[in-house]
Amino acid sequence: MFRTRLISGIVLVAVALVVLITGGPLLAAVLLAISIIGQNELYRALGIEDSGFSPLAGVGYLGCFLYYVIVISGAAAYNMTVLIAILIALMAVYVFTYPRYRTEQVTGAFFGVIYVAVMLSCIYELRIMEHGAYLVWLIFISSWGCDTCAYCVGMLIGKHKMSPKLSPKKSVEGAVGGVIGAAAIGAIYAAAISPQMEGGMHTVLSFALICAVGALISMVGDLAASAIKRNHGIKDYGKLIPGHGGILDRFDSVIFIAPAIYYLTQAIAGYFW
């Protein structure tokens, strides 16, 4: 199992390197595919979609596609318009297929668009920013760096459970180690690329801060995904990635970190680089 997980992890990192370095249409297409697969996993967990065709899920997928079209076209002013249109379309399906769906399934379908598609699209938004080729890596440093450091520290000195009922293996010590570790990796990364950012020490400090905040938020994303699985009695969202589960099992923290880091970098960019 460890070997399978390790090989899958290496492949994921290699794919991420190619896609994020290339950016542009390739990144947008990959994020769209990941978002639709992630929505499918969530819809199955919530009982919105099963083996047959679900009109409600179909509208959710269409909404995901339309949202990415808006994002790629740069027409950010219409983001809210698209989301409102998606909600109206979902409610129309609810009304005209009544009583096939319950209210919580309709809200779950809309939640899937926001939770997966909208939040993941922030990776593309960050990549196309000025210095985006460097900034986009902060998402993955925060997520994967925090996971690795938290695991190591937790294994070594973890004693106090962070969330005993939801995730009994996670410790407070591990969480602190994850935040500090992510901040340290962010600072090292900033020092390595500072000539390109032209921010010097300011870049090091800002990257450390961004990664620390991202690490904190990543834990919420991880636990939130676990809570949804526990509520619906499933172990993994899918089996797409050997040793890791589904898209949502692997990208649970990235989904939360992407918008946080996107807006945080926008807020502080003018001050630090």
Side-chain angles (χ1 to χ4, degrees), residues 182-207:
I185 296 171
I188 294 170
Y189 174 64
I193 66 165
S194 57
Q196 286 73 31
M197 297 293 293
E198 301 177 355
M201 193 61 188
H202 292 306
T203 304
V204 174
L205 294 174
S206 62
F207 276 30

Side-chain angles (χ1 to χ4, degrees), residues 176-253:
V176 173
V179 173
I180 295 174
I185 296 171
I188 294 170
Y189 174 64
I193 66 165
S194 57
Q196 286 73 31
M197 297 293 293
E198 301 177 355
M201 193 61 188
H202 292 306
T203 304
V204 174
L205 294 174
S206 62
F207 276 30
L209 173 63
I210 290 171
C211 288
V213 173
L216 285 169
I217 295 174
S218 76
M219 297 177 198
V220 178
D222 186 17
L223 292 172
S226 296
I228 294 172
K229 288 190 287 187
R230 285 184 178 272
N231 279 162
H232 294 86
I234 58 175
K235 183 179 183 296
D236 295 316
Y237 282 104
K239 299 180 180 178
L240 181 65
I241 308 172
H244 293 268
I247 287 294
L248 296 184
D249 295 297
R250 182 64 276 178
F251 289 86
D252 49 7
S253 58

Side-chain angles (χ1 to χ4, degrees), residues 28-41:
V30 170
L31 287 174
L32 174 59
I34 289 174
S35 296
I36 290 178
I37 294 170
Q39 277 185 255
N40 176 261
E41 292 175 353

